[in-house]
Amino acid sequence: METPTRQRVVDLILNDGPQTAKQLAEVLELTPAAVRRHLATLLEEGILTSRDERVYGPRGRGRPSKVFVLTDAGRAEFTQAYDDLAIAAMRRLQVLAGPDAVRDIADDRVAEIEQRYRELRADDPELTCMDALVEVLDLDGYAASVRPLRAGDQLLQHHCPVAHVAAEFPILCEIETKLFSRLLGSHVQRLATIAHGDGVCTTHVPHPLPTPQIPKRK
């Protein structure tokens, strides 16, 4: 049975991040007008929202393009690993045991990711650090991918199973970022997170700087 176009639009934005109407039309092989009709319905239903496209680096002339992003209601159509009870439990824990208890939970969460990562690397030593991390995150429901750049890579997480919890307890994102830095051996930088309203969690992973050559004495 063919997937309805509406669902294909939502899937594309979930897996590939914010999209313009033109990008969606090209992938779906539809006219921009047809795509805009579906987008209008999804906007009206609260599944999508739109904003100006963020441009990294020099910006050209003209107004920025509109990109379409999933709302919390749109993400709720997919399996979530959090609910109101989890947030209430975290609040209660913080009151009773202090902020260190929340940090311990965050540490335990990333420790599970790290263990699966190291098991995967042990099973397949030829796998790069980045590919192994993407595979592990993808299996955990983060819809991860990599965008190569001239100065490094961008690690993208198009979905976050704990976004609502992380919005209130940003320590989850902080500990996760430190894990990425440790596993990839790079001083990574978090550029955007779903927990703070961005369409995709984006982490910049710079290429390692070349080791400077010490000139020989004449």
Side-chain angles (χ1 to χ4, degrees), residues 85-102:
L85 180 60
I87 295 176
M90 294 278 279
R91 289 173 182 164
R92 186 65 174 166
L93 180 64
Q94 185 168 246
V95 170
L96 294 176
D100 286 346
V102 176

Side-chain angles (χ1 to χ4, degrees), residues 4 6 18 31 47 57 106 144 166 172 203:
R6 174 184 177 279
T31 64
I47 301 299
L172 294 175
T203 305

Side-chain angles (χ1 to χ4, degrees), residues 179-202:
L179 173 70
F180 293 168
S181 182
R182 186 166 67 252
L183 297 183
L184 299 175
S186 176
H187 184 66
V188 306
Q189 180 183 8
R190 215 66 184 272
L191 302 178
T193 63
I194 294 171
H196 291 96
D198 298 294
V200 179
C201 292
T202 305

Side-chain angles (χ1 to χ4, degrees), residues 120-149:
L120 182 60
R121 291 294 309 279
D123 292 340
D124 188 358
E126 298 298 320
L127 207 60
T128 67
C129 296
M130 179 66 83
D131 287 343
L133 180 56
V134 167
E135 186 170 336
V136 168
L137 290 174
D138 204 40
L139 290 172
D140 280 0
Y142 288 90
S145 66
V146 179
R147 178 190 296 157
L149 299 174

Side-chain angles (χ1 to χ4, degrees), residues 166-177:
E168 184 160 342
F169 300 96
I171 187 66
L172 294 175
C173 295
E174 294 171 17
I175 297 294
E176 184 182 78
T177 304

Side-chain angles (χ1 to χ4, degrees), residues 212-218:
Q213 298 295 320
I214 300 176
K216 294 181 180 180
R217 292 184 178 180
K218 295 183 179 180

